[in-house]
């Protein structure tokens, strides 16, 4: 606006040649136009208004003869430029208004979208607090489980939400300690788990920015945290508390503490301490009893005593009794029933989901409650499990099943198949079967192979959601 005013002022210079103090007149005309435009664009009391006052003071300090000579020119030029500036600003505002209105309508439509089958508290986007509790109870009552998928970047995050949208069910996006570091970048400084914390937080913020666009409920969760990794856990909890103070809800939906290698009493004591802190910001805690065999994210339990792979009902009761005493405390239990991370040949893994059924009966008797499934169980090491074992576990109150190995393979296989299909176009930047000077950029563009991985992973997840009865649940 200022430049426009100055140009218009110089346009009138020939008409001012015969007038005294023409330089002063032109300068003041430009300043006057700027001030007039700013009066339109800025409210009273702003810094720009104070600048206008300075200009008026300068005018009052001019000699009387110059004031008379310049007054008419200044008025005409300033009002002309200001008028043009106002008109331009109004036109721009008019053009922006429809676009802004459209964006607002789209955002409002997403926010107001409701599900016909889900509890009323559950909306598209990240689900926390009471809405999360309602969602998990709905899953248990209707005997389906939500896939908890380990991710390593935005591509696998997006594949999760794409699968959920296709299947018509909720999804849990799960950040491991190593996955968080991968998001930050393996070369970044990871002193005190800084990179692992920053990556998980960044991934959670990405989900919050895009989840509603997929139109599905998304649970933000973190995976196994053993005692030695508590600094990572504490860093994320602090991020939740900061987010809660600003937004009235936590950044994540839930976190997992895996203290299964510690004595039972210590496991319960630490979990209760954290749950008391969780309850203040509406976070849900997942805790583990017994050990999940196999290897994942640098933790190797391949050689563990097989007896530790199976949890006893009395142990689950001790956990339930302690954690239920926390006001506003919400939790799930990963009780081991032969679970193993990874995929193994048939016969090498012996799942015994009847342990979960027996545990529910035991705790129901202890509580004297009407519910046949008072505990919300989660199923670790779901990759490679039979559909029969999965669905029998769901009937025992499993509301979430972890999946990682199968989706890792699916993502890689999608990229690998893309490479095989276009191998002749991926050997050099220039030159392919169509000619020695033909470019190959559209084939080696990383988005092409990564998208193939996303599609393959999403397809595998839809199959997992079928096994979990998590189809058409919205």
């Amino acid at each position: 606006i200022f430049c426009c005013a100055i140009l218009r002022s110089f346009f009138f210079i020939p008409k001012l040649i015969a007038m005294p103090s023409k330089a002063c007149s032109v300068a003041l005309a430009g300043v006057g136009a700027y001030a007039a435009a700013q009066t339109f664009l800025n409210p009273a009391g702003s810094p720009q208004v104070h600048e206008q006052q300075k200009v008026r003071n300068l005018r009052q300090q001019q000699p009387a003869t110059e004031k008379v000579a310049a007054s008419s020119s200044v008025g005409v030029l300033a009002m002309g430029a200001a008028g043009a500036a106002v008109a331009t600003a109004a036109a721009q505002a008019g053009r922006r208004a429809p676009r802004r209105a459209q964006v607002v309508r789209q955002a409002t439509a997403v926010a107001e979208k409701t599900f016909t089958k889900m509890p009323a508290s559950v909306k598209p986007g990240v689900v926390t607090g009471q809405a999360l509790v309602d969602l998990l109870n709905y899953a248990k009552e209707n005997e389906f489980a939500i896939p908890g998928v380990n991710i390593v970047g935005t591509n696998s995050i997006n594949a999760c939400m794409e699968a959920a949208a296709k299947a018509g069910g909720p999804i849990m996006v799960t950040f491991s300690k190593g996955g968080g570091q991968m998001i930050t970048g393996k070369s970044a400084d990871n002193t005190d788990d800084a990179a692992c914390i920053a990556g998980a937080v960044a991934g959670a913020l990405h989900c919050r920015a895009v989840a509603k666009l997929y139109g599905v409920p998304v649970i933000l969760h973190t995976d196994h945290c053993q005692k030695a990794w508590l600094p990572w856990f504490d860093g994320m909890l602090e991020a939740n508390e900061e987010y809660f103070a600003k937004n009235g809800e936590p950044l994540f939906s839930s976190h997992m503490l895996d203290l299964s290698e510690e004595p039972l009493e210590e496991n319960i004591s630490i979990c209760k301490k954290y749950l008391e802190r969780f309850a203040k910001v509406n976070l849900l805690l997942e805790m583990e009893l017994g050990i999940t065999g196999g290897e994942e994210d640098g933790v190797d339990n391949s050689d563990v005593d097989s007896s530790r792979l199976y949890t006893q009902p009395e142990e689950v009761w001790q956990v339930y009794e302690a954690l239920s005493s926390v006001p506003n405390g919400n939790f799930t239990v990963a009780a081991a029933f032969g679970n193993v991370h990874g995929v193994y040949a048939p016969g090498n893994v012996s799942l015994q989901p009847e342990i979960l059924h027996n545990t529910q009966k035991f705790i129901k008797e202890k509580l004297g409650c009407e519910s046949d499934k008072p505990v919300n169980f989660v199923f670790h090491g779901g990759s490679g499990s039979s559909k029969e074992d999965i669905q029998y576990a769901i009937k025992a109150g499993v509301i979430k099943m972890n999946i990682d190995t199968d989706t890792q393979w699916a993502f890689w296989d999608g990229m690998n198949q893309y490479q095989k299909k276009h191998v002749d176009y991926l050997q050099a930047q220039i030159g392919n079967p169509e000619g020695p000077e033909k470019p190959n950029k559209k084939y080696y563009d990383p988005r092409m192979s990564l998208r193939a991985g996303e599609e393959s992973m999403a397809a595998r997840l839809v199959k997992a959601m079928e096994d979990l009865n998590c189809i058409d649940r919205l």
Side-chain angles (χ1 to χ4, degrees), residues 103-136:
V103 170
V104 170
R105 285 195 299 270
Q106 291 172 343
T108 302
V110 171
E112 291 179 349
K113 179 179 178 181
T114 57
F115 302 117
T116 58
K117 300 177 182 178
M118 285 278 170
S121 61
V122 180
K123 302 287 195 304
V126 176
V127 179
T128 66
Q130 187 58 48
L132 174 60
V133 173
D134 293 344
L135 173 57
L136 299 184

Side-chain angles (χ1 to χ4, degrees), residues 24-317:
C24 181
S25 300
V26 170
L28 285 173
V31 174
Y34 173 76
Q38 289 302 309
T39 300
F40 173 79
L41 297 173
N42 296 283
S46 68
Q48 288 82 358
V49 172
H50 294 309
E51 290 300 321
Q52 294 171 32
Q53 183 61 46
K54 292 180 182 179
V55 172
R56 286 193 291 270
N57 292 338
L58 286 173
R59 285 178 175 171
Q60 292 171 0
Q61 295 170 8
Q62 291 183 86
T65 55
E66 290 188 5
K67 288 183 181 179
V68 174
S71 60
S72 60
S73 297
V74 170
V76 171
L77 291 176
M79 292 184 65
V86 170
T88 301
Q92 291 174 345
R95 288 193 296 269
R96 287 194 298 266
R99 292 197 298 271
R100 288 175 178 170
Q102 182 180 7
V103 170
V104 170
R105 285 195 299 270
Q106 291 172 343
T108 302
V110 171
E112 291 179 349
K113 179 179 178 181
T114 57
F115 302 117
T116 58
K117 300 177 182 178
M118 285 278 170
S121 61
V122 180
K123 302 287 195 304
V126 176
V127 179
T128 66
Q130 187 58 48
L132 174 60
V133 173
D134 293 344
L135 173 57
L136 299 184
N137 287 336
Y138 174 76
K140 185 164 62 174
E141 292 166 4
N142 290 275
E143 296 190 345
F144 72 90
I146 301 165
V149 191
N150 280 64
I151 58 81
V152 294
T154 56
N155 293 105
S156 47
I157 290 173
N158 297 345
C160 290
M161 293 185 285
E162 179 178 346
K166 289 179 177 179
I171 193 79
M172 177 180 284
V173 174
T174 306
F175 301 87
S176 67
K177 184 169 178 280
Q181 186 180 15
M182 190 70 183
I183 292 174
T184 299
K186 296 287 283 187
S187 65
D189 180 12
N190 195 35
T191 303
D192 297 327
D193 293 326
C196 297
I197 296 167
V201 169
L205 291 172
H206 167 78
C207 284
R208 283 194 168 275
V210 305
K212 288 183 180 179
L213 302 179
Y214 288 86
V216 296
V218 178
I219 302 169
L220 293 181
H221 183 64
T222 59
D223 209 4
H224 298 265
C225 177
Q226 56 194 11
K227 189 175 181 180
W229 292 356
L230 285 178
W232 172 57
F233 199 81
D234 291 335
M236 293 184 295
L237 181 49
E238 289 172 5
N240 279 297
E241 290 169 338
E242 291 176 6
Y243 194 89
F244 184 90
K246 297 176 182 178
N247 301 280
E249 68 171 337
L251 174 60
F252 292 85
S253 309
S254 55
H255 296 285
M256 181 198 178
L257 267 180
D258 180 1
L259 304 175
S260 56
E261 294 185 356
E262 312 305 322
L264 179 61
E265 293 73 17
E266 184 178 3
N267 184 350
I268 295 174
S269 175
I270 295 175
C271 284
K272 184 178 179 181
K273 174 184 174 183
Y274 274 103
L275 184 58
E276 289 170 347
R277 191 171 166 187
F278 273 36
K280 296 176 182 178
V281 292
N282 295 332
L283 276 168
L284 181 142
L285 173 69
E286 176 184 327
M287 66 87 62
E288 179 159 1
L289 283 172
I291 291 177
T292 302
E295 189 275 333
E296 183 179 58
D297 209 37
V299 178
D300 191 349
N301 291 326
S302 301
D303 299 324
V304 71
D305 182 349
S306 61
S307 65
R308 300 185 67 188
L309 302 178
Y310 302 96
T311 302
Q312 299 304 310
E314 293 83 0
E315 296 173 324
V316 181
W317 166 243

Side-chain angles (χ1 to χ4, degrees), residues 9-40:
S9 300
F10 276 95
F11 177 79
F12 284 103
I13 284 177
K15 296 183 180 180
L16 297 173
I17 292 177
M19 302 178 68
S21 303
K22 61 179 182 293
C24 181
S25 300
V26 170
L28 285 173
V31 174
Y34 173 76
Q38 289 302 309
T39 300
F40 173 79

